[in-house]
Amino acid sequence: MTAAGAVLATPAGADERLPGAWRLGLSRGAMEVRLFFRMRDQVVFTFAFPIVFLFLFASIFHDRMAGTGATASQYYVASMTAAGIMSTSFQSLGVSIAVEREQKVLRRLRSTPMPPAAYFLGKIWLVLVTGLLETALLLAFGTVVYGVDLPSDVTGWLTFGWIFVLGITGCALLGIAISSVPRSARSATSVVVLPFLVLEFISGVYILVTTVPRWMLTVGSLFPLKWLCQGLRGVFLPSAAAAMEPAGSWEYGRIALVLGAWCVGGLVLCLLTFRWRGRDE
Amino acid sequence: MTEHAVRVRGLRKRYGAVAAVDGVDLDIRRGEVFGILGPNGAGKSTTVGILLGHRGRDGGEVAVLGEDPARAGRGWQARIGVVWQDESAAEEMTVAEIVRHFAGYYPRPRDPGEVIALVGLQERAGVRAKHLSGGQRRRLDVALGVIGRPELLLLDEPTTGFDPVARRQFWSLIRALAAEGTTIVLTTHYLEEAEELADRLAVISAGRVRAVGEPATLGGRAQAPARVRWTNADGSSGEIVTATPTAEVAALAARFGGEVPGLRVSRPTLEDVYLRLIGHAGAAGEAGEVAR
């Protein structure tokens, strides 16, 4: 053990005082959050978008869902919260990193001794903060206007906690990965929004899971959004509503498995495919 | 410590059918200001990209500060600074915030306040990057390039688009950095800039090094015949092209019995040499005929 430690320590000798990825990730996260809140229009639209959609859907569809003890409006509070989490992570990162790549922000970072992991960590801190704010806004709106019951015990909040962290991390890593696909910052919005919209339709965000064709839901269940929606329904809807689910239960175990797999797989995807330069540089 | 900051042998890089870099050799000594001069598309930026480890290469050997950029790690990266001509990092951050943040990436950074003063931005330290002028923006980029106390600073056409005043300010900044012992490698297509700043120059065209030397002697400039011009008593002008201008001037002085009216002795300018060197490249394969 000692020998192996010494061998590992020797080549790092010269790099000894290089700041570590975790500390730099925190420093990048702090800067990312500050930058985010300085772009006022971006702040307003990022937060307003899911609330506007929640208002539209929950107002148009508000009937009681038979045998569930919940209204369609309450279903949409859970759905839109999941979609809001994915939009602040997947969509925001997919577009903003493509822009940073085009504006040569990434090239500058690549020319410093900053480890790539610090950059990814900074992005995850950013989406944890913005995603939590987004969620708080949607839940506040949902409880006041549509009478959603927030969990009354610690277990309920703990369940919400792990679903939120696994869901947003997986979506953030997928967003970082997809940012390498668009050829330019101008095409980034289309490249990122199309798959997101499709996922929203086949994961039971806009359309009730009982209405989405089974094969579509099966395709959707390969991605994190379907499980994020399902988990949040489990947290915020009455337990009788589990009857709507394809499995007839909330399937927390499977949710943890799929979201956890996306966190690991997303990280591997980022490390393998992330581009620091534009395609034509 | 190796004697050379940069050592390149037989460097090659192709993009499809085009050889962007076609067998380049370079030796850049520690502590010197080295200019890489060449027309657009000559392979300057590709070479810089390879020296930084941002681009791969198809052949040849490269050692930058003793390491191969394709395999070097973070410790090596911390010893190198770079400034580009097109950058727009962190528009919403202030100058002081950006410089302080980047200082955090390095093991032994310079003091951020000192660096901001060095690049002459102390008056603008609290201003967001998006409100800086073009010249100020580039000086911020230099601040980011030197904040880590680099041993080697690469500047890729740093003054493109500058007005003459901004360019001169930038030159004095580079001289100040060179005086501190930083090795500086500068690509440019401005001859005046190369002549002002560089201890030595390489002229690159079509992916090859055409000549290397001090600006005053590049391409045989010092040995080239001089042109002696004067004004005769009747107002007509006289001119001799000669290898011995001093003797000619002495003979003229004797003839005029003192001051020679309108006397001028000139050697080929760097521009003359440069155009000959890159013109030669254009006509490569046609037995050295000069392309027009």
Side-chain angles (χ1 to χ4, degrees), chain A residues 14-21 23-24 27-29 31-32 34-36 38-40 99-100 102-116 118-119 277 280-281, chain B residues 15 52 54-56 73-78 80-94 97-98 100-108 128 130 141-142 144-145:
Chain A
D15 303 1
E16 217 165 47
R17 284 176 302 167
L18 281 169
R23 209 184 86 201
L24 288 182
S27 147
R28 281 213 58 81
M31 194 193 67
E32 299 264 16
R34 219 176 330 165
L35 270 177
F36 177 86
R38 282 184 189 177
M39 288 184 261
R40 293 246 174 70
V99 171
E100 286 190 338
E102 187 155 297
Q103 290 182 341
K104 325 275 186 187
V105 176
L106 298 190
R107 183 184 62 181
R108 165 54 69 192
L109 293 175
R110 196 79 187 106
S111 315
T112 73
M114 179 204 75
Y119 177 76
R277 284 188 288 134
D280 41 80
E281 267 175 65
Chain B
Y15 291 115
L52 286 169
H54 289 192
R55 286 169 202 279
R74 292 175 63 202
W76 174 84
Q77 194 81 65
I80 294 173
V82 57
V83 179
W84 285 280
Q85 54 172 311
D86 53 340
E87 197 164 319
S88 54
E91 299 283 272
E92 298 291 338
M93 304 270 285
T94 69
E97 286 174 328
I98 298 174
R100 240 184 286 131
H101 178 79
F102 274 82
Y105 294 153
Y106 293 89
R108 41 178 207 110
R128 290 192 187 177
K130 65 175 176 185
D141 298 339
V142 175
L144 299 186

Side-chain angles (χ1 to χ4, degrees), chain B:
Chain B
M1 195 179 259
T2 48
E3 181 197 350
H4 286 116
V6 176
R7 189 170 184 280
V8 174
R9 288 289 174 276
L11 181 63
R12 285 172 202 285
K13 174 73 183 175
R14 304 187 71 84
Y15 291 115
V18 183
V21 179
D22 192 14
V24 161
D25 295 343
L26 283 176
D27 285 304
I28 300 174
R29 298 171 196 144
R30 282 185 186 265
E32 76 176 339
V33 179
F34 191 89
I36 300 178
L37 193 60
N40 290 326
K44 303 190 296 290
S45 291
T46 303
T47 304
V48 169
I50 294 169
L51 296 183
L52 286 169
H54 289 192
R55 286 169 202 279
R57 58 183 190 263
D58 298 328
E61 287 168 39
V62 180
V64 177
L65 299 178
E67 291 189 49
D68 182 343
R71 282 190 284 275
R74 292 175 63 202
W76 174 84
Q77 194 81 65
R79 297 159 64 201
I80 294 173
V82 57
V83 179
W84 285 280
Q85 54 172 311
D86 53 340
E87 197 164 319
S88 54
E91 299 283 272
E92 298 291 338
M93 304 270 285
T94 69
V95 170
E97 286 174 328
I98 298 174
V99 176
R100 240 184 286 131
H101 178 79
F102 274 82
Y105 294 153
Y106 293 89
R108 41 178 207 110
R110 288 170 184 256
D111 176 64
E114 232 168 69
V115 169
I116 290 169
L118 175 72
V119 300
L121 284 177
Q122 59 273 55
E123 310 279 300
R124 310 285 283 162
V127 173
R128 290 192 187 177
K130 65 175 176 185
H131 296 308
L132 297 178
S133 72
Q136 291 169 342
R137 175 75 239 192
R138 202 61 48 77
R139 282 189 269 155
L140 171 58
D141 298 339
V142 175
L144 299 186
V146 302
I147 187 69
R149 215 184 289 274
E151 292 164 46
L152 170 67
L153 180 64
L154 288 135
L155 300 128
D156 193 15
E157 303 195 6
T159 62
T160 300
F162 274 29
D163 65 46
V165 175
R167 176 164 295 138
R168 263 157 218 286
Q169 284 172 345
F170 194 85
W171 289 351
S172 48
L173 172 56
I174 299 308
R175 283 195 203 97
L177 291 169
E180 291 178 4
T182 312
T183 306
I184 293 174
V185 178
L186 164 94
T187 74
T188 183
H189 54 250
Y190 295 114
L191 294 145
E192 199 194 352
E193 184 159 290
E195 193 157 25
E196 274 295 322
L197 293 177
D199 298 320
R200 291 194 309 136
L201 281 175
V203 174
I204 292 191
S205 104
R208 286 167 185 265
V209 175
R210 302 296 160 180
V212 181
E214 290 168 24
T217 57
L218 190 79
R221 195 175 158 196
Q223 291 80 44
R227 193 180 295 267
V228 180
R229 275 177 284 188
W230 69 92
T231 311
N232 287 311
D234 62 0
S236 69
S237 54
E239 180 178 316
I240 305 173
V241 175
T242 171
T244 56
T246 313
E248 291 298 335
V249 171
L252 280 168
R255 206 169 97 199
F256 283 95
E259 280 301 309
V260 181
L263 177 67
R264 271 200 294 165
V265 182
S266 57
R267 302 270 183 190
T269 63
L270 183 58
E271 184 163 326
D272 295 333
V273 174
Y274 172 73
L275 289 175
R276 181 168 58 75
L277 287 168
I278 65 166
H280 178 81
E286 288 181 46
E289 192 186 319
V290 173
R292 296 279 169 202

